[in-house]
Every structure is written in structure tokens, then in C-alpha cells.
Amino acid sequence: MINSNTVKIKDDEFAELSDLIYKHSGITFTINKKYLLENRLSRRLNELNFNSFKDYLYFLKYDFKGKSELNMMINLVTINETYFLREKGQIEYMVNVLIPQMMKAGKKSFKIISAACSTGEEPYSVAIMLNEAGLFSKARFDILGVDINYNVVETAKKGQYRTVSFRGVPSSIQNKYFKKDGFVYEISREIKSRVRFLQGNLMESSLYSKVGKVDFIFCRNVLIYFDVDAKKRVIDNFYRLLNTPGYLFLGHSETLSKISTSFKMNNFGRGIVYIKEGL
Ligand SMILES: C[S@@+](CC[C@H](N)C(=O)[O-])C[C@H]1O[C@@H](n2cnc3c(N)ncnc32)[C@H](O)[C@@H]1O
């Protein structure tokens, strides 16, 4: 919505700003998203008393506070849409097929990462489904949620949600794992304790050294915001991050076609999994 405090962004400012966002996060904004940046950032410009994006860009690039402002700005422009048990066929396949197979072969501990976890619904859904399958007593699980946006990571750590996060979730699951307090649904302590969260940028290699090797990566509904080069960079990092065998799940509208030939693709009926096979 445009109001009197909306700061209009000129085409050259848009080019500079979108380039800065891209270099920092991999997120690509095309010119038709100009209004989105105006809407999301105008209030911040007003708070900082900037009348134009030209001044804001100068601040971002040259002020000593520019680096922390860049992170603040990224928090304002990311799309954080998510909900519990989203595209749950993939989680079910991991929990009911892949993990039991790997356990049969002798594996006793698993590391699962929700890369771009937003407010935490995805990694908590993984923990809930592992619990439903009774797997926590049979093996060790390290579940990690990572997102570039500091604010969503802090929300994830709190584990408090509104009804909008539960679209399509059976009430039996909602009642079993969440305590209602007014409009807020608080996740059970047991599930909360199963998930760790980390603020991190999928574009930066320093993140991957902090994470260590993993068995499963869920990276869903984020690559759609990246261009081909940024996708390639992230997927190459994922390949190195995975154990062999290791499994990568993308969002239903995302694909590795034209991005990577390193993975084997398996269509298991309710979704697709990309596999890093043993040598
Ligand atoms: C639409 S949400 C997807 C949430 C969840 N994976 C799902 O499918 O429901 C996209 C998330 O990607 C995060 N994101 C965007 N660029 C990122 C980057 N370079 N590194 C880490 N997270 C990023 C955003 O902050 C946002 O929370």
C-alpha cells in the first residue's frame, strides 16, 4: 500500500539496491518488485530520517553502521511465508522410508538441516514427525534450522505461533504438541528442545564450516528467489555438506535442472528427493 510516507525509488537507485541485496543474500529483485522494496523499506527510511533511497544507499555503503544496517534491511525484505507440515510427503518419506533404511544398515545418528527455516515451522515439523514415528528413542537426531533473517530465527527459538501457521494441520497433532494461551500456540518443551537454530547466510561458506556434515537438507521455497548463479553456489555448498548417502529436498516448484548434475534424482511418488550417492 502506498501512503504519504512512502519513499519512491528511482530506477538507478533500484539497480544499486537490488545489486547490494543480491550480493549479500542471493535474493534477486527484478524491476517489477520495485513497489515491494518501497513498501517494505519506506518506514525504515522514515525512522532514519532519510528522504531518498540515494541517502539510504550511501549510509549502507559508507557509514560505519552500514554493515549492521545491511542485515536489518535484509530482515525487512525477505519473504518468510511458511507453515507446519508444509509439503509433508517429503518429511514422511524421510521419516518412514529413508531413516529406517539407514538404521537397518547400522546408522545410529542423523543430522538434519532446515536451510532457510524462517520462523521454525519446518524443522519443528520434522521433529514432530520423528516423534510420531517413535524414532527419538531409537537413534540420535540433531535438527538445525538456519535462516539469514535474525528476526525470524528469534521467533523460531520462542516457538510461539498463531493459527495461520496451522493451515492443514490435523487438530490431533496441533492439540498434542501445542498449548493454547489466548491467540498463541506454544510448542511443547519436548519438541522445542529437539531443534537448534542459527542465524546464517546460505551464500557464505563460513556457515557450512559451522554446520559440519549432514544427512538431510530441506531447502524449500527459497531458491525461487535466487538467480542461476546464486542457486549453483548454494547447491555446490550443499553437495559438499552432505554425507554419502545424503539427501536434499527442494520446494515443489524448485528443481536442480540446469543447476547441478551431481545429484541423482528420485521421484518417490509424493515428491522428489535429490541424492548424493556413495562413490
Ligand atoms: C518462503 S521462506 C521458506 C521457509 C520454509 N523453508 C518453507 O518452505 O516453508 C524463505 C526463507 O528464506 C530465507 N532466506 C533468503 N535468503 C537466504 C539466504 N541467503 N540464507 C539463508 N536464508 C535465506 C528468508 O529469510 C526466508 O525466511
Side-chain angles (χ1 to χ4, degrees):
M1 198 211 320
I2 296 192
N3 61 43
S4 54
N5 292 329
T6 301
V7 184
K8 301 295 285 177
I9 182 164
K10 298 197 176 107
D11 284 359
D12 58 331
E13 295 165 344
F14 174 82
E16 210 176 324
L17 186 63
S18 56
D19 188 52
L20 203 61
I21 295 171
Y22 173 72
K23 286 199 175 116
H24 187 66
S25 67
I27 303 168
T28 306
F29 282 98
T30 44
I31 191 80
N32 60 338
K33 293 278 159 58
K34 200 163 83 158
Y35 74 94
L36 194 147
L37 292 185
E38 283 171 353
N39 280 350
R40 294 212 171 183
L41 295 176
S42 282
R43 187 198 281 201
R44 185 67 189 148
L45 266 71
N46 290 325
E47 274 167 12
L48 295 170
N49 285 324
F50 290 130
N51 297 322
S52 70
F53 275 92
K54 186 170 177 242
D55 293 344
Y56 186 54
L57 279 158
Y58 191 88
F59 179 68
L60 283 167
K61 286 186 160 175
Y62 304 114
D63 194 276
F64 75 99
K65 289 186 189 146
K67 176 79 179 130
S68 64
E69 181 60 26
L70 188 58
N71 291 327
M72 178 84 93
M73 193 252 294
I74 294 292
N75 290 350
L76 294 170
V77 302
T78 58
I79 311 284
N80 308 114
E81 158 82 3
T82 186
Y83 47 93
F84 286 101
L85 304 187
R86 185 177 195 179
E87 298 169 17
K88 73 171 189 234
Q90 294 173 325
I91 309 180
E92 282 172 345
Y93 184 65
M94 174 185 77
V95 168
N96 299 328
V97 178
L98 297 174
I99 291 177
Q101 247 170 34
M102 292 160 93
M103 284 171 62
K104 236 183 196 169
K107 195 166 166 65
K108 291 191 170 61
S109 78
F110 297 87
K111 190 154 173 173
I112 303 164
I113 177 171
S114 163
C117 64
S118 187
T119 36
E121 287 88 332
E122 183 173 86
Y124 283 137
S125 298
V126 166
I128 287 171
M129 292 181 77
L130 286 169
N131 196 59
E132 285 293 292
L135 288 175
F136 281 126
S137 58
K138 298 184 179 144
R140 276 219 319 272
F141 291 92
D142 182 6
I143 308 167
L144 176 67
V146 174
D147 200 283
I148 195 172
N149 184 324
Y150 175 82
N151 295 337
V152 295
V153 170
E154 288 308 300
T155 303
K157 285 181 188 166
K158 286 198 190 107
Q160 294 173 340
Y161 296 94
R162 302 271 171 155
T163 33
V164 66
S165 291
F166 295 95
R167 57 197 104 144
V169 175
S171 52
S172 56
I173 293 282
Q174 192 172 345
N175 296 337
K176 184 169 170 186
Y177 292 101
F178 296 85
K179 202 174 88 207
K180 189 168 189 276
D181 184 6
F183 291 112
V184 175
Y185 294 82
E186 176 137 20
I187 199 151
S188 78
R189 243 192 260 160
E190 160 67 7
I191 294 301
K192 197 172 170 182
S193 69
R194 297 282 180 189
V195 184
R196 298 186 292 132
F197 290 97
L198 181 69
Q199 190 260 339
N201 184 349
L202 298 176
M203 296 292 286
E204 283 176 4
S205 43
S206 58
L207 168 70
Y208 299 93
S209 46
K210 280 187 214 153
V211 170
K213 288 281 187 186
V214 307
D215 303 295
F216 297 95
I217 300 174
F218 287 84
C219 183
R220 306 187 299 174
N221 308 300
V222 57
L223 294 183
I224 31 167
Y225 303 110
F226 291 4
D227 74 351
V228 170
D229 285 345
K231 282 180 193 167
K232 281 186 175 161
R233 195 157 139 194
V234 170
I235 294 298
D236 284 351
N237 279 322
F238 284 169
Y239 192 79
R240 283 190 288 275
L241 189 70
L242 281 167
N243 281 322
T244 44
Y247 301 90
L248 168 66
F249 296 100
L250 302 179
H252 283 171
S253 61
E254 295 162 327
T255 165
L256 288 193
S257 159
K258 304 201 175 82
I259 305 297
S260 171
T261 52
S262 305
F263 291 84
K264 185 183 152 199
M265 189 183 103
N266 176 26
N267 185 337
F268 55 88
R270 291 183 64 202
I272 283 169
V273 60
Y274 291 95
I275 307 166
K276 177 181 177 182
E277 292 187 302
L279 300 172

